[in-house]
Amino acid sequence: MLIALALGVTTTATAQPDGSVTVVERVTITAPATHRIALRVPVTDDENRVYTVRDARVTGAGHLAEDAGGVTASYTGDATLTYTVDGAVAAGGQVRWPVTGGWDQDLTTLTARLRAPGISTVDCFAGAVGSARHCTFSELGADGVATVEQDGLRGGDRVDLVVQVPPGALAGNARFVPVSPVADFLKGPGIPLVALVVLLAGAAATWLQRRRGTRQRVLARA
């Protein structure tokens, strides 16, 4: 009998006065799954938004791996991931963070709650990065907590939770950097071409050196 993969995530986030956001992500799964938290998110074709994740840890059936590009949580069973993110608060009081995304499996259900001072609006977007498709459900509760839900999310897609708080209620720490064409080239299909260029340059240098040596020997015999 085949058992369908079920992957459920419940996230609770709290915005701190210094602009950091503490996150607790509870994961329930029926088969191994991996969650990649990217630290650079495209905003436009020319600009990326940069986040910083710190104090990350997993309790339960999982483990973490960190590198310059992000944090990867791998799960073999139910577990809880906690971390602190910087870079979510932009000028004017908008708070934005991908509350989940980068899974290698389809997500069955997501419930996320964000507590921040004076939330006035809540929005939520699901799908590929840059998609404007709204989440299944979003609301601002009477207790001032933003809640969003998403039924079904394809592997690799994300859910962005966006809220508005009064300007100055949280310290702004959003970072935006221009996209580097060279970096994108080196990270993408350009790598084999770079290797080819280096190889050809080396071959040309060797050929010139041998030619110079041959010419010197001919002159020596003359």
Side-chain angles (χ1 to χ4, degrees), residues 35-37 39 52-58 63-74 81-84:
H35 175 199
R36 172 74 170 174
I37 305 174
L39 301 182
T52 301
V53 169
R54 53 187 169 88
D55 303 328
R57 65 183 185 275
V58 168
H63 67 274
L64 286 176
E66 300 184 45
D67 56 40
V71 177
T72 301
S74 300
L81 168 66
T82 60
Y83 60 90
T84 298

Side-chain angles (χ1 to χ4, degrees), residues 49 51 87-97 121 123 125 161-168 170-174 176:
R49 184 166 186 166
Y51 295 96
V89 183
Q94 187 191 75
V95 183
R96 184 172 192 138
W97 170 244
T121 62
D123 216 335
F125 304 98
L161 173 58
V162 186
V163 304
Q164 182 66 42
V165 302
L170 301 171
N173 57 10
F176 300 90

Side-chain angles (χ1 to χ4, degrees), residues 10 14 52 58 65 69 72-73 88 92 99 122 125 135 137 143 171 175 184 188 221:
T10 301
T14 304
T52 301
V58 168
T72 301
V99 291
V122 180
F125 304 98
C135 296
F137 171 81
D143 56 357
R175 292 178 54 210
D184 289 345
R221 292 174 185 168

Side-chain angles (χ1 to χ4, degrees), residues 1-6 30-31:
M1 178 180 178
L2 295 177
I3 300 176
L5 172 64
T30 56

